[in-house]
């Protein structure tokens, strides 16, 4: 089985032209209401300290992360599996966050 690239967040996954403040609130909420508690904690802490300072491009990358399955995310963030190349920079940033 090959590791095919995981697609970025589909355009429909978040409103285009969404005001930044609204986008940040939505992303913070999605970060803390995941599905598995471990990812709630990891992403909530990351979102609380990092999102406000991110560029729009970085927010796009984080939005792509938020569309992923929690089981996959946890394995990538914890280093159990290698993240797809297109998501790896943001996964590494999340994994390195303290």
């Amino acid at each position: 089985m090959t590791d095919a690239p995981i697609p970025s967040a589909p355009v429909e996954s978040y409103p285009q032209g969404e005001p930044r403040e609204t986008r940040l609130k939505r992303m913070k909420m999605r970060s803390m209401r995941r599905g598995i508690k471990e990812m709630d904690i990891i992403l909530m802490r990351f979102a609380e300290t990092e999102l406000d300072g991110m560029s729009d491009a970085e927010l796009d990358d984080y939005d792509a992360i938020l569309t992923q399955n929690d089981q996959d995310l946890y394995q990538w963030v914890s280093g159990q599996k290698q993240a797809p190349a297109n998501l790896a920079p943001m996964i590494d940033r999340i994994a390195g966050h303290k």
Side-chain angles (χ1 to χ4, degrees), residues 3-87:
D3 288 333
I6 303 293
S8 297
V11 173
E12 317 79 61
S13 71
Y14 57 90
Q16 295 299 303
E18 178 179 40
R20 184 175 175 88
E21 183 178 324
T22 303
R23 184 178 194 192
L24 291 173
K25 284 181 184 179
R26 174 183 54 78
M27 293 173 82
K28 287 176 183 178
M29 183 61 73
R30 290 196 62 213
S31 295
M32 64 184 205
R33 303 214 182 208
R34 298 295 308 168
I36 62 172
K37 193 64 170 173
E38 292 84 357
M39 288 313 302
D40 289 351
I41 293 167
I42 292 167
L43 293 181
M44 179 180 64
R45 288 180 180 165
F46 179 81
E48 286 176 348
T49 60
E50 299 294 319
L51 290 188
D52 290 335
M54 285 185 177
S55 69
D56 288 342
E58 290 170 320
L59 290 176
D60 289 344
D61 291 345
Y62 189 70
D63 243 339
I65 296 296
L66 293 176
T67 68
Q68 305 304 310
N69 176 290
D70 271 1
Q71 272 55 7
D72 292 334
L73 276 176
Y74 185 73
Q75 290 180 332
W76 298 334
V77 169
S78 66
Q80 296 174 35
K81 287 190 178 179
Q82 186 174 1
N86 60 322
L87 300 178

